[in-house]
PDB file of all heavy atoms in Angstrom:
ATOM      1  N   LYS A 417     123.741 120.581  89.255  1.00 98.00           N
ATOM      2  CA  LYS A 417     123.502 119.582  90.217  1.00 98.00           C
ATOM      3  C   LYS A 417     124.248 119.662  91.548  1.00 98.00           C
ATOM      4  O   LYS A 417     123.706 119.580  92.632  1.00 98.00           O
ATOM      5  CB  LYS A 417     123.930 118.188  89.507  1.00 98.00           C
ATOM      6  CG  LYS A 417     123.516 116.962  90.216  1.00 98.00           C
ATOM      7  CD  LYS A 417     123.393 115.801  89.271  1.00 98.00           C
ATOM      8  CE  LYS A 417     124.695 115.297  88.650  1.00 98.00           C
ATOM      9  NZ  LYS A 417     125.525 114.630  89.591  1.00 98.00           N
ATOM     10  N   SER A 418     125.550 120.012  91.342  1.00 98.00           N
ATOM     11  CA  SER A 418     126.330 120.158  92.576  1.00 98.00           C
ATOM     12  C   SER A 418     125.836 121.188  93.501  1.00 98.00           C
ATOM     13  O   SER A 418     125.776 121.089  94.748  1.00 98.00           O
ATOM     14  CB  SER A 418     127.817 120.460  92.233  1.00 98.00           C
ATOM     15  OG  SER A 418     128.415 119.456  91.504  1.00 98.00           O
ATOM     16  N   ARG A 422     123.918 120.967  97.379  1.00 98.00           N
ATOM     17  CA  ARG A 422     124.454 121.787  98.565  1.00 98.00           C
ATOM     18  C   ARG A 422     123.469 122.729  99.018  1.00 98.00           C
ATOM     19  O   ARG A 422     123.425 123.084 100.306  1.00 98.00           O
ATOM     20  CB  ARG A 422     125.791 122.451  98.156  1.00 98.00           C
ATOM     21  CG  ARG A 422     126.937 121.416  98.003  1.00 98.00           C
ATOM     22  CD  ARG A 422     128.055 121.997  97.081  1.00 98.00           C
ATOM     23  NE  ARG A 422     129.210 121.090  97.101  1.00 98.00           N
ATOM     24  CZ  ARG A 422     129.382 120.094  96.205  1.00 98.00           C
ATOM     25  NH1 ARG A 422     128.416 119.732  95.403  1.00 98.00           N
ATOM     26  NH2 ARG A 422     130.549 119.447  96.252  1.00 98.00           N
ATOM     27  N   THR A 491     127.197 112.003  94.869  1.00 98.00           N
ATOM     28  CA  THR A 491     127.386 113.266  95.734  1.00 98.00           C
ATOM     29  C   THR A 491     126.517 113.232  96.896  1.00 98.00           C
ATOM     30  O   THR A 491     127.002 113.644  98.011  1.00 98.00           O
ATOM     31  CB  THR A 491     126.919 114.411  94.829  1.00 98.00           C
ATOM     32  OG1 THR A 491     127.559 114.380  93.545  1.00 98.00           O
ATOM     33  CG2 THR A 491     127.430 115.781  95.378  1.00 98.00           C
ATOM     34  N   ARG A 494     128.201 110.757  99.490  1.00 98.00           N
ATOM     35  CA  ARG A 494     129.493 111.151 100.046  1.00 98.00           C
ATOM     36  C   ARG A 494     129.460 112.395 100.929  1.00 98.00           C
ATOM     37  O   ARG A 494     129.919 112.492 101.948  1.00 98.00           O
ATOM     38  CB  ARG A 494     130.510 111.317  98.878  1.00 98.00           C
ATOM     39  CG  ARG A 494     130.753 109.982  98.217  1.00 98.00           C
ATOM     40  CD  ARG A 494     132.050 109.947  97.387  1.00 98.00           C
ATOM     41  NE  ARG A 494     132.308 108.683  96.783  1.00 98.00           N
ATOM     42  CZ  ARG A 494     132.324 108.527  95.409  1.00 98.00           C
ATOM     43  NH1 ARG A 494     132.139 109.591  94.616  1.00 98.00           N
ATOM     44  NH2 ARG A 494     132.499 107.330  94.957  1.00 98.00           N
ATOM     45  N   LEU A 495     128.685 113.407 100.524  1.00 98.00           N
ATOM     46  CA  LEU A 495     128.535 114.552 101.280  1.00 98.00           C
ATOM     47  C   LEU A 495     127.712 114.309 102.579  1.00 98.00           C
ATOM     48  O   LEU A 495     128.112 114.771 103.685  1.00 98.00           O
ATOM     49  CB  LEU A 495     127.914 115.731 100.481  1.00 98.00           C
ATOM     50  CG  LEU A 495     128.896 116.584  99.751  1.00 98.00           C
ATOM     51  CD1 LEU A 495     129.756 115.811  98.708  1.00 98.00           C
ATOM     52  CD2 LEU A 495     128.152 117.770  99.009  1.00 98.00           C
ATOM     53  N   ARG A 518     130.088 101.834  93.747  1.00 96.00           N
ATOM     54  CA  ARG A 518     131.100 102.864  93.749  1.00 96.00           C
ATOM     55  C   ARG A 518     131.849 103.016  95.102  1.00 96.00           C
ATOM     56  O   ARG A 518     131.285 102.665  96.163  1.00 96.00           O
ATOM     57  CB  ARG A 518     130.370 104.269  93.445  1.00 96.00           C
ATOM     58  CG  ARG A 518     129.744 104.197  91.994  1.00 96.00           C
ATOM     59  CD  ARG A 518     129.084 105.456  91.636  1.00 96.00           C
ATOM     60  NE  ARG A 518     130.141 106.511  91.406  1.00 96.00           N
ATOM     61  CZ  ARG A 518     129.746 107.775  91.283  1.00 96.00           C
ATOM     62  NH1 ARG A 518     128.514 108.214  91.207  1.00 96.00           N
ATOM     63  NH2 ARG A 518     130.771 108.731  91.172  1.00 96.00           N
ATOM     64  N   ARG A 522     136.858 106.044 100.324  1.00 98.00           N
ATOM     65  CA  ARG A 522     137.482 107.423 100.177  1.00 98.00           C
ATOM     66  C   ARG A 522     136.891 108.449 101.101  1.00 98.00           C
ATOM     67  O   ARG A 522     137.485 109.432 101.437  1.00 98.00           O
ATOM     68  CB  ARG A 522     137.487 107.895  98.732  1.00 98.00           C
ATOM     69  CG  ARG A 522     136.126 107.868  98.087  1.00 98.00           C
ATOM     70  CD  ARG A 522     136.042 108.484  96.741  1.00 98.00           C
ATOM     71  NE  ARG A 522     136.867 107.692  95.769  1.00 98.00           N
ATOM     72  CZ  ARG A 522     137.275 108.112  94.564  1.00 98.00           C
ATOM     73  NH1 ARG A 522     136.881 109.413  94.135  1.00 98.00           N
ATOM     74  NH2 ARG A 522     137.965 107.437  93.784  1.00 98.00           N
ATOM     75  N   ALA A 562     142.013 114.035  93.502  1.00 96.00           N
ATOM     76  CA  ALA A 562     141.331 115.282  93.278  1.00 96.00           C
ATOM     77  C   ALA A 562     139.891 115.028  93.308  1.00 96.00           C
ATOM     78  O   ALA A 562     139.209 114.747  92.307  1.00 96.00           O
ATOM     79  CB  ALA A 562     141.742 115.949  92.062  1.00 96.00           C
ATOM     80  N   SER A 563     139.122 115.131  94.468  1.00 97.00           N
ATOM     81  CA  SER A 563     137.792 114.872  94.593  1.00 97.00           C
ATOM     82  C   SER A 563     137.052 115.921  95.374  1.00 97.00           C
ATOM     83  O   SER A 563     137.288 116.013  96.619  1.00 97.00           O
ATOM     84  CB  SER A 563     137.479 113.498  95.155  1.00 97.00           C
ATOM     85  OG  SER A 563     136.181 113.414  95.461  1.00 97.00           O
ATOM     86  N   ALA A 564     136.089 116.669  94.776  1.00 98.00           N
ATOM     87  CA  ALA A 564     135.339 117.691  95.472  1.00 98.00           C
ATOM     88  C   ALA A 564     134.379 117.018  96.540  1.00 98.00           C
ATOM     89  O   ALA A 564     134.018 117.547  97.470  1.00 98.00           O
ATOM     90  CB  ALA A 564     134.533 118.499  94.537  1.00 98.00           C
ATOM     91  N   GLN A 565     133.999 115.785  96.204  1.00 98.00           N
ATOM     92  CA  GLN A 565     133.046 115.048  97.062  1.00 98.00           C
ATOM     93  C   GLN A 565     133.762 114.710  98.386  1.00 98.00           C
ATOM     94  O   GLN A 565     133.196 114.902  99.469  1.00 98.00           O
ATOM     95  CB  GLN A 565     132.497 113.831  96.396  1.00 98.00           C
ATOM     96  CG  GLN A 565     131.556 114.204  95.296  1.00 98.00           C
ATOM     97  CD  GLN A 565     131.055 112.934  94.502  1.00 98.00           C
ATOM     98  OE1 GLN A 565     131.371 111.897  94.884  1.00 98.00           O
ATOM     99  NE2 GLN A 565     130.088 113.288  93.583  1.00 98.00           N
ATOM    100  N   VAL A 566     134.884 114.282  98.306  1.00 98.00           N
ATOM    101  CA  VAL A 566     135.732 113.864  99.463  1.00 98.00           C
ATOM    102  C   VAL A 566     136.033 115.100 100.286  1.00 98.00           C
ATOM    103  O   VAL A 566     135.884 115.202 101.533  1.00 98.00           O
ATOM    104  CB  VAL A 566     136.949 113.059  99.164  1.00 98.00           C
ATOM    105  CG1 VAL A 566     137.712 112.648 100.446  1.00 98.00           C
ATOM    106  CG2 VAL A 566     136.580 111.796  98.341  1.00 98.00           C
ATOM    107  N   SER A 568     134.489 117.951 100.335  1.00 98.00           N
ATOM    108  CA  SER A 568     133.203 118.425 100.953  1.00 98.00           C
ATOM    109  C   SER A 568     132.842 117.633 102.064  1.00 98.00           C
ATOM    110  O   SER A 568     132.422 118.147 103.148  1.00 98.00           O
ATOM    111  CB  SER A 568     132.106 118.485  99.856  1.00 98.00           C
ATOM    112  OG  SER A 568     132.514 119.272  98.784  1.00 98.00           O
ATOM    113  N   ARG A 590     136.042 121.432  92.186  1.00 97.00           N
ATOM    114  CA  ARG A 590     134.889 122.443  92.363  1.00 97.00           C
ATOM    115  C   ARG A 590     134.777 122.831  93.767  1.00 97.00           C
ATOM    116  O   ARG A 590     134.932 122.116  94.725  1.00 97.00           O
ATOM    117  CB  ARG A 590     133.582 121.857  91.850  1.00 97.00           C
ATOM    118  CG  ARG A 590     133.121 120.661  92.588  1.00 97.00           C
ATOM    119  CD  ARG A 590     131.953 119.919  91.762  1.00 97.00           C
ATOM    120  NE  ARG A 590     132.473 119.366  90.565  1.00 97.00           N
ATOM    121  CZ  ARG A 590     131.831 118.859  89.558  1.00 97.00           C
ATOM    122  NH1 ARG A 590     130.498 119.024  89.671  1.00 97.00           N
ATOM    123  NH2 ARG A 590     132.322 118.356  88.469  1.00 97.00           N
ATOM    124  N   ILE A 710     135.851 117.162  84.799  1.00 97.00           N
ATOM    125  CA  ILE A 710     135.776 115.683  85.155  1.00 97.00           C
ATOM    126  C   ILE A 710     134.468 115.083  84.615  1.00 97.00           C
ATOM    127  O   ILE A 710     134.454 113.931  84.227  1.00 97.00           O
ATOM    128  CB  ILE A 710     136.043 115.427  86.626  1.00 97.00           C
ATOM    129  CG1 ILE A 710     136.218 113.947  86.874  1.00 97.00           C
ATOM    130  CG2 ILE A 710     134.962 115.944  87.557  1.00 97.00           C
ATOM    131  CD1 ILE A 710     137.590 113.464  86.326  1.00 97.00           C
ATOM    132  N   ASP A 711     133.325 115.755  84.700  1.00 98.00           N
ATOM    133  CA  ASP A 711     132.037 115.183  84.252  1.00 98.00           C
ATOM    134  C   ASP A 711     131.823 115.353  82.822  1.00 98.00           C
ATOM    135  O   ASP A 711     130.900 114.795  82.261  1.00 98.00           O
ATOM    136  CB  ASP A 711     130.861 115.810  85.028  1.00 98.00           C
ATOM    137  CG  ASP A 711     130.907 115.378  86.522  1.00 98.00           C
ATOM    138  OD1 ASP A 711     131.457 114.355  86.787  1.00 98.00           O
ATOM    139  OD2 ASP A 711     130.404 116.191  87.319  1.00 98.00           O
ATOM    140  N   GLU A 734     140.146 108.713  87.448  1.00 97.00           N
ATOM    141  CA  GLU A 734     138.863 108.889  88.289  1.00 97.00           C
ATOM    142  C   GLU A 734     137.612 108.623  87.384  1.00 97.00           C
ATOM    143  O   GLU A 734     136.551 108.229  87.913  1.00 97.00           O
ATOM    144  CB  GLU A 734     138.753 110.298  88.709  1.00 97.00           C
ATOM    145  CG  GLU A 734     139.413 110.594  90.032  1.00 97.00           C
ATOM    146  CD  GLU A 734     138.869 109.827  91.225  1.00 97.00           C
ATOM    147  OE1 GLU A 734     137.664 110.118  91.546  1.00 97.00           O
ATOM    148  OE2 GLU A 734     139.564 109.035  91.789  1.00 97.00           O
ATOM    149  N   LYS A 738     133.160 106.602  88.104  1.00 97.00           N
ATOM    150  CA  LYS A 738     131.943 107.398  88.028  1.00 97.00           C
ATOM    151  C   LYS A 738     130.701 106.529  87.973  1.00 97.00           C
ATOM    152  O   LYS A 738     130.830 105.300  88.283  1.00 97.00           O
ATOM    153  CB  LYS A 738     132.060 108.402  86.854  1.00 97.00           C
ATOM    154  CG  LYS A 738     133.136 109.352  86.996  1.00 97.00           C
ATOM    155  CD  LYS A 738     132.875 110.335  88.087  1.00 97.00           C
ATOM    156  CE  LYS A 738     133.997 111.288  88.367  1.00 97.00           C
ATOM    157  NZ  LYS A 738     133.875 112.043  89.657  1.00 97.00           N
ATOM    158  N   GLU A 739     129.613 107.049  87.474  1.00 95.00           N
ATOM    159  CA  GLU A 739     128.335 106.306  87.478  1.00 95.00           C
ATOM    160  C   GLU A 739     128.495 104.962  86.679  1.00 95.00           C
ATOM    161  O   GLU A 739     127.876 104.036  86.859  1.00 95.00           O
ATOM    162  CB  GLU A 739     127.228 107.127  86.820  1.00 95.00           C
ATOM    163  CG  GLU A 739     126.554 108.097  87.766  1.00 95.00           C
ATOM    164  CD  GLU A 739     127.430 109.484  87.774  1.00 95.00           C
ATOM    165  OE1 GLU A 739     128.654 109.495  87.634  1.00 95.00           O
ATOM    166  OE2 GLU A 739     126.738 110.578  88.080  1.00 95.00           O
ATOM    167  N   ARG A 787     125.369 110.428  81.537  1.00 98.00           N
ATOM    168  CA  ARG A 787     126.230 111.210  80.630  1.00 98.00           C
ATOM    169  C   ARG A 787     126.703 110.351  79.380  1.00 98.00           C
ATOM    170  O   ARG A 787     126.930 110.925  78.396  1.00 98.00           O
ATOM    171  CB  ARG A 787     127.457 111.690  81.449  1.00 98.00           C
ATOM    172  CG  ARG A 787     126.920 112.679  82.628  1.00 98.00           C
ATOM    173  CD  ARG A 787     128.053 113.581  83.030  1.00 98.00           C
ATOM    174  NE  ARG A 787     127.856 114.091  84.376  1.00 98.00           N
ATOM    175  CZ  ARG A 787     127.018 115.151  84.657  1.00 98.00           C
ATOM    176  NH1 ARG A 787     126.308 115.671  83.626  1.00 98.00           N
ATOM    177  NH2 ARG A 787     126.751 115.505  85.870  1.00 98.00           N
TER     178      ARG A 787
HETATM  179  C1  S3P B1063     130.739 116.532  92.465  1.00 88.72           C
HETATM  180  C2  S3P B1063     132.097 116.147  92.304  1.00 88.72           C
HETATM  181  C3  S3P B1063     132.609 115.323  91.294  1.00 88.72           C
HETATM  182  C4  S3P B1063     131.716 115.180  90.125  1.00 88.72           C
HETATM  183  C5  S3P B1063     130.301 114.859  90.585  1.00 88.72           C
HETATM  184  C6  S3P B1063     129.773 115.972  91.416  1.00 88.72           C
HETATM  185  C7  S3P B1063     130.355 117.338  93.585  1.00 88.72           C
HETATM  186  O1  S3P B1063     132.879 113.992  91.811  1.00 88.72           O
HETATM  187  O2  S3P B1063     132.117 114.141  89.292  1.00 88.72           O
HETATM  188  O3  S3P B1063     129.425 114.745  89.426  1.00 88.72           O
HETATM  189  O4  S3P B1063     129.205 117.770  93.435  1.00 88.72           O
HETATM  190  O5  S3P B1063     131.048 117.501  94.484  1.00 88.72           O
HETATM  191  P1  S3P B1063     134.299 113.585  92.563  1.00 88.72           P
HETATM  192  O6  S3P B1063     134.458 114.408  93.742  1.00 88.72           O
HETATM  193  O7  S3P B1063     134.215 112.156  92.791  1.00 88.72           O
HETATM  194  O8  S3P B1063     135.355 113.927  91.498  1.00 88.72           O
END
Side-chain angles (χ1 to χ4, degrees):
K417 183 153 74 71
S418 295
R422 288 158 172 85
T491 310
R494 296 202 179 114
L495 271 59
R518 297 185 65 189
R522 54 177 61 197
S563 165
Q565 293 180 354
V566 180
S568 301
R590 66 194 68 194
I710 194 68
D711 290 337
E734 276 293 299
K738 294 293 177 190
E739 284 84 328
R787 300 203 198 278

